[in-house]
Amino acid sequence: MPSSVDLYGTAYGNFATRAVEEVRKETYGEDFGQSSWVTGDEYRRFFQLLGLRAGEHVLDVGCGSGGPALFLARETSCRVTGVDISEPGIEAGQALARQSDLQNAVTLRRADVCEPLEFAEGEFDALVCMDVLCHLANRGYLFKDWHRVLRPGGRLVVTDPVVVTGLVAKEELASRSSTGHFEFCPPGMNERLLREAGFELEPTADATDQEAIVSGRWHDAREKRAAELTRLEGAETYTGLQKFLATVRRLCAEHRLSRHVYLARKPSH
């Protein structure tokens, strides 16, 4: 089994294939092109928490396939700019945008989201970052840059799916981090870094059960299509991803790794 597994290249490279579309539908119920732990109902709750209003400009950090950015624009009538380092993800998103009536509302661009973003100070009304935080190095530095690009009074919602809340074995950590660069943090660390960056925080919410459910559905939906996915991905990648998803489900079901939701605001003064 490979030590690293290309979850995102596989998801985006095979984005429009019948098997992958069916997996997304079974995993999320409402498929808008996501490859995280976010469902449509949860994302709508986040929109309400952010108090999004029509015409506001939202930055989606780690936008992936662009599907969630299009979903956000459609649901809220906001303008959305999405950034992601994955070229296949951006290409998939641009194809989705061309098929929609939202090309003027959504802009997707490739960018290294671990570096300062090339946007003006105060350019955005809100920022979303869904289950990407664990892949970002120097998050305290990035939080300060996110604070910069938000206007005074701007809001953000961020999820971290790998907060360490129990005992995790070395082998489990290796499997859970097999899909790329990961940084695991203890409870309270994200809150401290967000405050140090200048944000005011609401109480942290726990969304671990959602991650357990989604990872289980994702694993089982893929298992039903093992032959077709093995042909698309190769045997090693298919097996590695199944092990990854099984590990996510187990660690979340036992609350040894948790998914936390952070809602914060840049002070208006």
Side-chain angles (χ1 to χ4, degrees):
M1 185 176 299
S3 58
S4 61
V5 184
D6 189 7
L7 169 64
Y8 300 106
T10 297
Y12 304 148
N14 299 315
F15 185 82
T17 61
R18 180 181 59 83
V20 173
E21 287 181 344
E22 290 175 352
V23 167
R24 286 199 306 269
K25 179 66 176 177
E26 284 191 27
T27 299
Y28 301 108
E30 187 175 9
D31 169 24
F32 49 87
Q34 66 269 56
S35 58
S36 62
W37 314 115
V38 179
T39 64
D41 287 344
E42 181 184 53
Y43 215 11
R44 289 186 184 93
R45 289 196 297 273
F46 292 163
F47 302 160
Q48 293 175 352
L49 289 173
L50 288 169
L52 296 177
R53 297 183 295 273
E56 289 194 310
H57 195 184
V58 182
L59 177 63
D60 183 353
V61 177
C63 65
S65 70
L70 290 162
F71 181 78
L72 193 162
R74 186 177 300 111
E75 291 284 322
T76 65
S77 297
C78 289
R79 292 185 298 128
V80 184
T81 295
V83 290
D84 198 283
I85 197 169
S86 169
E87 190 68 38
I90 295 298
E91 290 175 355
Q94 290 171 338
L96 284 175
R98 287 192 294 270
Q99 297 165 14
S100 74
D101 57 354
L102 296 168
Q103 289 191 68
N104 294 330
V106 177
T107 301
L108 304 175
R109 64 174 70 174
R110 186 177 184 276
D112 185 350
V113 295
C114 289
E115 296 294 333
L117 298 169
E118 295 182 358
F119 297 115
E121 183 174 343
E123 186 167 343
F124 298 96
D125 300 291
L127 182 152
V128 296
C129 183
M130 296 292 101
D131 298 323
V132 176
L133 186 59
C134 55
H135 301 306
L136 305 182
N138 301 314
R139 68 183 69 182
Y141 178 65
L142 296 178
F143 289 163
K144 293 176 182 178
D145 193 54
W146 295 357
H147 186 276
R148 178 187 65 81
V149 301
L150 282 172
R151 64 164 175 81
R155 299 87 66 199
L156 68 76
V157 64
V158 184
T159 59
D160 186 341
V162 293
V163 178
V164 181
T165 51
L167 299 176
V168 185
K170 173 184 176 182
E171 294 77 12
E172 291 173 318
L173 284 176
S175 178
R176 183 61 180 86
S177 59
S178 62
T179 58
H181 173 79
F182 270 78
E183 295 190 359
F184 299 84
C185 81
M189 176 64 73
N190 288 321
E191 291 92 333
R192 179 174 68 81
L193 292 174
L194 283 164
R195 289 192 181 96
E196 289 177 355
F199 286 102
E200 298 173 345
L201 269 70
E202 297 292 329
T204 300
D206 190 303
T208 308
D209 291 342
Q210 163 123 339
E211 186 178 354
I213 291 169
V214 169
S215 58
R217 288 176 179 167
W218 197 346
H219 176 278
D220 295 348
R222 285 173 50 83
E223 191 169 63
K224 292 178 185 176
R225 297 162 180 84
E228 189 168 358
L229 291 173
T230 297
R231 180 179 59 80
L232 286 170
E233 301 170 354
E236 282 192 339
T237 296
Y238 171 79
T239 301
L241 286 175
Q242 290 303 95
K243 181 179 180 182
F244 164 77
L245 290 167
T247 301
V248 174
R249 173 167 53 181
R250 182 175 65 254
L251 290 172
C252 287
E254 297 172 3
H255 282 252
R256 292 188 284 137
L257 286 182
S258 295
R259 180 172 181 257
H260 287 177
V261 182
Y262 308 94
L263 178 66
R265 179 182 302 271
K266 180 176 179 176
S268 55
H269 55 276

